[in-house]
Amino acid sequence: MNTRLTRNLSAVAQALSVVFGLAFLGKAGVRLSDDGAICVETGFWANARLADPLSVAPGVEASSSAARLCQESPSVAQRLADLGSELPWLLFGALALVLFARMLKAVVEQGPFTGMVARRLTVLGWFVAVGTPVTGLVAGWSQGWLVASMAPMVGVEQVVSGPTALTLAGLAAVVMGKIMREGVRMREDLEGTI
């Protein structure tokens, strides 16, 4: 086991989690303090020709060629919904990297096949497996609500966004954590009999 490589990987994961966290805080601060227009893209009428103008809320510009809606003076709720379409993924990434760095720290301190590493791998796996669809739901719901607030006739067209492969990777990590935990238990039983 190359502990130097694992230490370096843990340090990179910790640094990236700090970067993601700072990006989360910075983007939230900039977006909340910005008093300009907010825009959202929707695929509802991207390929359609509109005979009648689209029914949009006051102060909203709609472009059918770009499937884009822009609100000139958005409400606080619209600003929060705009944040909700991007910020959950930054927070999810920062927290996943923190859990990954903690797991690598346990590998360096105790070795790769220990109960602590198996538990931390399982926690990371459950976080990724459950957090991916939850984060996608929050981001998709926020974008859908924002679209519906600008063009009430369009409605919510996006419920879940994000990479579903992460859910499978998280479940694989849960399974590997369970296998490692069983291997640790078997090793401890074997050491107890010898």
Side-chain angles (χ1 to χ4, degrees):
M1 177 74 193
N2 190 346
T3 57
R4 193 170 113 205
L5 176 64
T6 307
R7 275 195 182 106
N8 290 341
L9 188 56
S10 178
V12 167
Q14 288 175 348
L16 283 174
S17 70
V18 169
V19 168
F20 274 57
L22 290 174
F24 173 82
L25 294 173
K27 187 167 269 211
V30 167
R31 286 282 182 91
L32 287 174
S33 66
D34 184 18
D35 61 350
I38 59 171
C39 295
V40 65
E41 292 190 20
T42 178
F44 183 74
W45 73 90
N47 295 322
R49 287 185 130 197
L50 300 175
D52 297 326
L54 184 67
S55 172
V56 295
V60 174
E61 269 185 48
S63 168
S64 64
S65 62
R68 184 177 172 98
L69 299 168
C70 292
Q71 176 78 46
E72 280 305 318
S73 54
S75 67
V76 173
Q78 287 174 321
R79 285 212 182 275
L80 290 175
D82 184 41
L83 286 173
S85 62
E86 292 181 36
L87 290 183
W89 288 110
L90 286 173
L91 183 61
F92 172 79
L95 293 175
L97 285 167
V98 166
L99 292 174
F100 182 65
R102 288 186 68 223
M103 185 194 68
L104 290 177
K105 183 178 177 186
V107 168
V108 169
E109 291 173 354
Q110 299 179 3
F113 303 106
T114 61
M116 178 65 74
V117 173
R119 280 189 298 279
R120 289 188 178 176
L121 179 61
T122 302
V123 168
L124 174 62
W126 277 118
F127 178 79
V128 171
V130 173
T132 299
V134 168
T135 304
L137 279 171
V138 169
W141 180 84
S142 294
Q143 182 180 9
W145 185 90
L146 187 59
V147 168
S149 73
M150 291 184 192
M153 298 303 290
V154 173
V156 179
E157 101 278 342
Q158 182 176 7
V159 177
V160 179
S161 66
T164 55
L166 281 178
T167 303
L168 296 176
L171 291 174
V174 169
V175 170
M176 287 304 299
K178 298 287 184 185
I179 291 171
M180 285 179 64
R181 188 173 299 146
E182 188 63 25
V184 168
R185 188 191 63 74
M186 289 172 61
R187 186 184 70 197
E188 289 170 351
D189 286 349
L190 182 64
E191 288 173 356
T193 58
I194 293 180

